[in-house]
Amino acid sequence: MAGATHNVRVTFSGLAYTSDPVRGGSAPGAEAGSSADRFERDTLDILKRLSRHPIDPGPTSELLADLGFDSLQVLELVGELEDHFNIAVPLNALTHIRTVDQIVAEVRRLVGQQEVAP
Amino acid sequence: MIAGEACETIAGTLVAAATTTKGVRAIEHDGQAIEMPYAWLLSDSLRIAGALQIRGLNPGDRVAIVVPEVAGFVRAFLGITTAGLVPVPLFPPGQAGDVSTFTRQSRDLLIASQASAVVASADVAPLLDLEHASTSGHVCQLLTIDALAEGPALLVPVPVTSDRPALIQFTSGSTAMPKGVVLSHANLHANLSAIAGPAGLAIRPDDVGVSWLPLYHDMGLIGALLTSIYARNDVVIMSPVLFLKRPTAWLDAISRYRGTVSFAPNFAYELCLRRVKPSQIAALDLSSWRVAGCGAEPIRCDTLESFADRFACTGFRASSFVPSYGLAEHSLAVALATGGVNVDTVDSARLVRDSLAVPASNGAANGHAVRLVGCGRPFPGHEVHIEDETGQLLPDRHVGRIVARGPSVMAGYFEDPAATAEALHRGGLETGDLGYIAEGQLFVCGRTKDLIIRNGRKYHPPDLESSIADVDGIRSSNVVVFGISHVNEADQVVAVLEGRASQTSRDIVDQVRRRVRETVGLELDHVLLTPPGTIPRTTSGKVRRSETRARFQAGTLLTGGRISLDAPPGSR
């Protein structure tokens, strides 16, 4: 699978620009730092590790649209999160989760469930 | 029930399999295993069939299935077929883009198949748009497995003659213009007996199938489930989600259940190479795996060789590889090559320039050589010919259109005589693939149709074009998407847009990529924003996709401007 970055530079009418498949999706005020808990920190680490391009994910970054994950990588991410946090992500969660903070919230919810469970 | 006749229907094969102690083990996305012996599946499907009957469904009616759970899908499918109804498997949500895409596409397929009912799991049901799937004079009911399992049970499957439709498979045609492959019970029986028979996989009573392939796809449904029922063998069917989350789950299942027959597209073997860790490999015993099938997308020698090397320590044998070729319109398999990988090393320049597969003088060491994998011989009672544009047979090693004939060829596309006439003419099935025959073996080396294949999934350019046309500032008439297939590489996907250069150009390109990822989950390799007038058109103004591709490949698409491609080695 051709997963590497393909930059296409098109020049016409005196205009040149590069199309880069992946943009950092960091939103204003989304700097990772002080308030980041372990769920957020670890999730971001896993996202960066699985991405085939350098990414700078923020809470509102969308997995498919901003971070350049394809449907295969989304499932790889779910597998990694399940192993790392020892959780089972329900099937229908996959159809609704789009952004990084939705992932973190789902992880937090599932870990919480686990800790409450006998 | 008439024994001889009934055995040729799916329900007939289930009745026969139910006399054994064998069955289906379903492994769901969370690893939960559910055992369903064929005897239990038969009584369950008689209950479901009865429940379908009292809901007013009549033999021949289409019933769609949108069930992501393995056990639920198997039960729904067998219940529907036992009632003499025609199952129409549809892909579940979360597999090909966002929820609204799923809702729209599933509605279009329900309309196209004129489904009288849809069996859906509880999670999926709210995502279906049944209001608009019911056309005039035609209502589509929503049913769940749990409601159907109550019965009342039929005593025997509803008898169906083998020329009746057994299944409608929507893997062919774009979602914009869906084409449903109609397979009769006789079609399926011909293909299943060829696959399992002595000229095929020579299936034995103690074979154990293992599959992670989606059941809404022909290779999972026919290749794994129906072949196993037909052969009365045990089969382990796991959720594709489990495999894609953890590829090692596939190999673990083969190791644990002593799997002997397991098929997957090339990318699945790649995924194992990339993601199965050494510690996981150390725990595997793959010595039982005698048929490691590879098909549904172009097969790469490098992948198979690397896999055989890496997994040799588990007892895996390279001779287990069975490279295969097939398509939904031919039920499933056209040819398969048992006995290992047969590589033909040919001169790539002559292949492209002269459509001739000339053995390369210096073998693989020669930079102009390409290695192709043989897919075996046609099955008994079936024919595969290589023809030129006029329908003339071509001699060995001449590349031409692959045309298949025989009892596995579909009856046609559902309610689509024009598309059927295009696919089935001069008594043969136009596969849309290019290939050649050498020493009796079929080699596949290209496509005549505009299909794009990535990770075993098929994409149709018109679907990609229509999703791009949603982006602000782009008109559908100004977009062309095409794939570039390389003999030994994954397809590259190129989008050419016409627009006016402005500060927002970069944004438009980003939005296009984004839109395609969101709706179909595919990454475009190249996006070109070009000046108006770049895309070649017919006199009536229709875009000419093949010509656009040819000019792109020749580097002459932008006559006024310059294109420079900064792509990694190997992707041209």
Side-chain angles (χ1 to χ4, degrees):
Chain A
M1 207 169 66
T5 316
H6 298 193
N7 289 328
V8 181
R9 196 176 300 110
V10 182
T11 311
F12 67 84
S13 316
L15 176 106
Y17 64 92
T18 301
S19 100
D20 179 344
V22 175
R23 285 186 305 172
S26 43
E31 313 85 88
S34 52
S35 67
D37 61 11
R38 104 180 147 94
F39 300 115
E40 189 174 337
R41 205 177 48 235
D42 292 3
T43 302
L44 291 178
D45 284 349
I46 292 171
L47 276 168
K48 287 181 194 164
R49 179 158 55 76
L50 296 185
S51 172
R52 303 203 184 97
H53 326 272
I55 52 168
D56 179 21
T60 58
S61 305
E62 292 188 14
L63 266 183
L64 293 162
D66 295 320
L67 303 181
F69 275 54
D70 60 21
S71 44
L72 225 62
Q73 281 175 296
V74 172
L75 289 172
E76 181 176 4
L77 170 70
V78 173
E80 292 283 327
L81 292 171
E82 288 185 340
D83 290 348
H84 184 83
F85 292 108
N86 192 26
I87 51 175
V89 178
L91 208 49
N92 62 356
L94 301 179
T95 51
H96 295 103
I97 287 177
R98 293 167 69 96
T99 62
V100 169
D101 53 8
Q102 285 171 340
I103 300 170
V104 174
E106 182 69 9
V107 166
R108 191 176 282 124
R109 186 182 74 82
L110 292 167
V111 173
Q113 258 180 10
Q114 203 120 65
E115 283 164 359
V116 172
Chain B
M1 205 166 51
I2 316 124
E5 177 85 333
C7 263
E8 296 197 359
T9 64
I10 299 171
T13 60
L14 179 61
V15 169
T19 61
T20 68
T21 56
K22 305 287 177 72
V24 178
R25 180 188 298 264
I27 304 180
E28 304 295 351
H29 75 101
D30 55 2
Q32 186 202 356
I34 301 166
E35 272 191 78
M36 301 184 291
Y38 292 130
W40 181 84
L41 277 171
L42 175 61
S43 55
D44 183 63
S45 58
L46 288 166
R47 277 193 302 273
I48 293 174
L52 289 165
Q53 245 185 18
I54 58 162
R55 280 167 177 80
L57 297 166
N58 298 309
D61 284 355
R62 273 79 50 205
V63 180
I65 309 171
V66 198
V67 179
E69 293 80 12
V70 175
F73 186 103
V74 170
R75 295 174 58 200
F77 183 89
L78 294 175
I80 293 165
T81 197
T82 298
L85 302 161
V86 182
V88 184
L90 301 184
F91 59 86
Q95 300 289 305
D98 56 19
V99 174
S100 61
T101 308
F102 166 78
T103 302
R104 197 183 63 244
Q105 292 183 345
S106 56
R107 181 199 59 213
D108 291 349
L109 294 175
L110 289 173
I111 293 170
S113 60
Q114 299 166 22
S116 301
V118 52
V119 180
S121 54
D123 284 344
V124 173
L127 307 178
L128 292 169
D129 176 9
L130 285 175
E131 197 184 324
H132 298 100
S134 306
T135 48
S136 54
H138 187 267
V139 179
C140 184
Q141 338 178 16
L142 175 66
L143 306 166
T144 61
I145 277 284
D146 292 338
L148 295 174
E150 303 295 325
L154 302 183
L155 292 175
V156 291
V158 173
V160 181
T161 53
S162 59
D163 61 334
R164 302 307 302 157
L167 166 68
I168 297 180
Q169 183 86 47
F170 273 105
T171 55
S172 172
S174 71
T175 51
M177 288 179 293
K179 285 192 282 184
V181 173
V182 181
L183 298 174
S184 68
H185 287 280
N187 289 150
L188 282 176
H189 188 263
N191 210 239
L192 292 175
S193 54
I195 292 169
L201 303 176
I203 294 291
R204 313 163 185 161
D206 59 345
D207 270 323
V208 176
V210 175
S211 172
W212 61 264
L213 298 163
L215 289 167
Y216 55 86
H217 185 274
D218 54 2
M219 202 151 86
L221 178 63
I222 302 171
L225 178 65
L226 299 186
T227 306
S228 301
I229 297 175
Y230 172 85
R232 308 175 198 182
N233 283 332
D234 277 326
V235 64
V236 178
I237 301 181
M238 74 170 51
S239 159
V241 171
L242 179 59
F243 166 71
L244 295 171
K245 286 197 295 192
R246 251 172 244 99
T248 188
W250 175 34
L251 306 181
D252 279 342
I254 294 171
S255 182
R256 173 177 313 176
Y257 300 110
R258 311 308 299 144
T260 61
V261 179
S262 193
F263 274 74
N266 196 88
F267 91 89
Y269 292 95
E270 287 278 359
L271 219 53
C272 289
L273 284 167
R274 212 171 67 229
R275 285 173 46 195
V276 180
K277 302 180 181 90
S279 59
Q280 295 169 325
I281 295 177
L284 293 171
D285 174 0
L286 299 180
S287 59
S288 60
W289 197 0
R290 73 172 189 89
V291 175
C294 188
E297 67 177 343
I299 303 167
R300 299 188 58 215
C301 289
D302 291 352
T303 305
L304 302 187
E305 285 171 359
S306 304
F307 186 93
D309 282 351
R310 178 85 57 85
F311 291 90
C313 59
T314 67
F316 181 82
R317 297 171 305 279
S319 60
S320 299
F321 279 125
V322 177
S324 315
Y325 169 68
L327 65 164
E329 287 83 347
H330 198 271
S331 298
L332 174 63
V334 171
L336 33 87
T338 51
V341 182
N342 185 350
V343 178
D344 193 26
T345 306
V346 300
D347 186 322
S348 58
R350 308 256 355 236
L351 192 68
V352 172
R353 197 183 60 219
D354 307 328
S355 293
L356 279 178
V358 180
S361 39
N362 283 337
N366 186 331
H368 300 295
V370 57
R371 300 195 302 155
L372 293 159
V373 179
C375 288
R377 294 157 202 281
F379 299 123
H382 294 71
E383 287 173 37
V384 176
H385 291 143
I386 306 295
E387 298 181 1
D388 70 9
E389 282 76 14
T390 65
Q392 290 296 307
L393 277 187
L394 288 170
D396 272 17
R397 294 200 167 273
H398 285 247
V399 176
R401 297 157 35 248
I402 303 175
V403 178
R405 289 177 176 80
S408 299
V409 174
M410 65 167 179
Y413 295 114
F414 184 69
E415 303 274 294
D416 196 342
T420 303
E422 210 174 293
L424 302 176
H425 59 119
R426 298 191 201 105
L429 167 69
E430 211 40 79
T431 63
D433 291 306
L434 294 171
Y436 64 91
I437 289 176
E439 286 96 47
Q441 286 240 15
L442 174 67
F443 291 83
V444 183
C445 59
R447 273 190 294 285
T448 58
K449 55 195 174 195
D450 286 328
L451 201 63
I452 296 165
I453 306 184
R454 273 275 189 91
N455 297 331
R457 179 175 286 166
K458 293 175 176 152
Y459 300 90
H460 293 265
D463 297 338
L464 302 178
E465 286 161 4
S466 69
S467 73
I468 289 175
D470 289 350
V471 173
D472 273 352
I474 295 179
R475 291 216 317 269
S476 59
S477 53
N478 294 342
V479 183
V480 181
V481 175
F482 52 86
I484 300 176
S485 55
H486 300 289
V487 172
N488 254 337
E489 304 263 345
D491 284 2
Q492 300 245 303
V493 188
V494 182
V496 179
L497 325 168
E498 279 180 356
R500 285 174 214 294
S502 69
Q503 274 85 352
T504 60
S505 310
R506 166 71 193 264
D507 284 347
I508 288 180
V509 170
D510 285 341
Q511 280 176 44
V512 164
R513 289 189 179 283
R514 207 183 149 107
R515 184 75 200 133
V516 172
R517 277 189 216 119
E518 279 176 342
T519 51
V520 294
L522 179 86
E523 180 67 45
L524 293 169
D525 294 291
H526 305 293
V527 179
L528 275 77
L529 188 66
T530 66
T534 305
I535 297 173
R537 288 182 162 78
T538 63
T539 46
S540 60
K542 265 186 78 182
V543 298
R544 294 165 64 200
R545 193 177 294 114
S546 318
E547 179 62 24
T548 312
R549 171 177 36 220
R551 290 193 197 171
F552 173 82
Q553 287 186 285
T556 58
L557 185 62
L558 286 180
T559 43
R562 291 197 324 271
I563 309 180
S564 75
L565 296 179
D566 175 16
S571 63
R572 190 182 300 216

